[in-house]
Amino acid sequence: MPYKLDFQQIRELLTQPEAGMGYQIVESTMRDYDSLKGVVLNADVFIPFEKIQKIMGRQYVSYSAILLEAEQPGYIRKIRVISKEIELGEGKYFIKSNILPALKANITLTCKSENFKRFSDYKNDRRITASGGLLAGTFATTEEDARNVKTGTDAINRYAMPSDEPAIYVFTVKPTEKTEIRRGTVEPAYGKPGGGVEVIFVNGSSEKTVTGPDTIPAK
Amino acid sequence: MLKFPETGMGYQTVDVVLKSGEIIKDAVVLNAEDIKLPDEYSWLKLENISDVRVKK
């Protein structure tokens, strides 16, 4: 049986990234405190894992038909987006997103004049060397994605940073052409939605490629 | 800590091995200098730690 979400739950899910087009993978605490994993379609209706094949595997299935048979809101106490890596019939019933966290992405090379930003709540960010480079395995984001961040609080939410301190210091990274990076999407973590672009500098960046920090407002 | 890659922007996750043999899993280290531990370990001092293992 599918379950409709209430208004507050829908609003909460809309702040979090999808696992693929039109769906999110979630864990729900039900009215009887049972914990169920499954998918939410359109931030609107929850289908537990064990019901996916029965509901989605029918010959003729439409979203409106699923809504019609769904239980009304009130059956779900709590719902949260979880890792995208749980196998829930993606490829068969759902089109899985090809967006991966950077740690699982292939290595690519930076282009000429491509810039990056690193947000930190430390002015003395230790991943930046005395000679103005990045240490191997340091994270940053693209300059384009960083335009979505206006405050230090935006940064810790978009990049799912574990600190509760706003990341108000912004370093600019201008790597040399063909620097090795892995590029991906931040997964939800530490109660924060993620969803931003993350880039790992696999071998760091060369000297004099990092400037800053500039400072942005905390809130 | 700085020899190891980050887990995400500005942090690394680690397992903290105590001298008692207990292991605190998935603790977060910020800027290679500050560690966030669950409240029940607020008593912990540096001398109680035997190893910090960065998770890859």
Side-chain angles (χ1 to χ4, degrees):
Chain A
M1 180 68 77
Y3 301 89
K4 285 184 184 170
L5 275 58
D6 66 28
F7 180 69
Q8 187 60 37
Q9 291 163 343
I10 292 170
R11 274 184 55 181
E12 197 175 319
L13 286 190
L14 288 175
T15 66
Q16 303 195 39
E18 294 184 314
M21 202 177 293
Y23 75 99
Q24 292 162 298
I25 297 178
V26 299
E27 182 167 31
S28 288
T29 305
M30 306 304 287
R31 197 161 61 184
D32 59 1
Y33 292 98
D34 198 10
S35 178
L36 297 177
K37 289 177 181 167
V39 294
V40 167
L41 306 180
N42 195 33
D44 198 19
V45 61
F46 170 63
I47 305 175
F49 171 63
E50 63 266 25
K51 303 287 185 193
I52 286 174
Q53 186 161 4
K54 187 175 175 192
I55 293 167
M56 304 297 289
R58 291 173 299 197
Q59 192 169 5
Y60 301 106
V61 61
S62 66
Y63 182 62
S64 55
I66 293 170
L67 277 181
L68 267 179
E69 66 180 289
E71 295 285 3
Q72 292 303 306
Y75 281 80
I76 298 171
R77 287 180 182 274
K78 208 167 74 175
I79 194 158
R80 67 184 183 95
V81 171
I82 58 174
S83 167
K84 293 188 288 189
E85 291 167 37
I86 292 167
E87 187 55 56
L88 290 173
E90 284 109 331
K92 191 171 181 186
Y93 306 125
F94 306 103
I95 302 165
K96 192 171 184 175
S97 168
N98 59 4
I99 298 170
L100 295 168
L103 282 167
K104 294 188 176 166
N106 292 328
I107 293 176
T108 57
L109 302 175
T110 57
C111 305
K112 193 177 177 183
S113 306
E114 196 175 10
N115 294 340
F116 300 85
K117 298 283 182 181
R118 175 174 167 88
F119 293 89
S120 180
D121 51 334
Y122 291 84
K123 197 172 185 179
N124 68 327
D125 190 323
R126 294 183 185 277
R127 304 296 303 190
I128 295 158
T129 65
S131 58
L134 292 178
L135 292 174
T138 298
F139 278 66
T141 188
T142 59
E143 188 172 49
E144 185 185 11
D145 195 76
R147 290 195 191 106
N148 296 298
V149 174
K150 307 294 181 205
T151 67
T153 305
D154 291 346
I156 61 170
N157 286 324
R158 190 168 182 84
Y159 304 113
M161 297 161 79
S163 175
D164 294 324
E165 291 295 316
I168 59 169
Y169 300 108
V170 189
F171 296 88
T172 299
V173 188
K174 297 182 177 179
T176 52
E177 193 181 356
K178 296 183 180 172
T179 298
E180 288 190 349
I181 57 169
R182 295 181 195 271
R183 193 186 300 251
T185 302
V186 181
E187 295 196 301
Y190 306 106
K192 298 180 178 116
V197 173
E198 61 183 4
V199 172
I200 304 171
F201 284 82
V202 179
N203 300 309
S205 69
S206 48
E207 290 181 8
K208 297 179 184 172
T209 54
V210 184
T211 55
D214 295 321
T215 307
I216 55 175
K219 292 179 183 174
Chain B
M1 296 296 298
L2 294 174
K3 289 180 184 169
F4 294 96
E6 291 187 299
T7 310
M9 203 183 303
Y11 71 95
Q12 292 161 300
T13 47
V14 298
D15 287 344
V16 181
V17 184
L18 305 187
K19 285 183 178 163
S20 64
E22 188 181 355
I23 298 175
I24 306 168
K25 290 197 166 288
D26 299 323
V28 169
V29 174
L30 303 170
N31 202 34
E33 64 184 40
D34 293 328
I35 191 162
K36 288 183 79 174
L37 292 171
D39 288 344
E40 62 260 39
Y41 294 101
S42 56
W43 54 270
L44 201 68
K45 293 192 166 54
L46 206 55
E47 56 263 31
N48 302 121
I49 296 173
S50 70
D51 195 10
V52 175
R53 298 173 185 159
V54 179
K55 303 191 87 166
K56 294 174 186 172

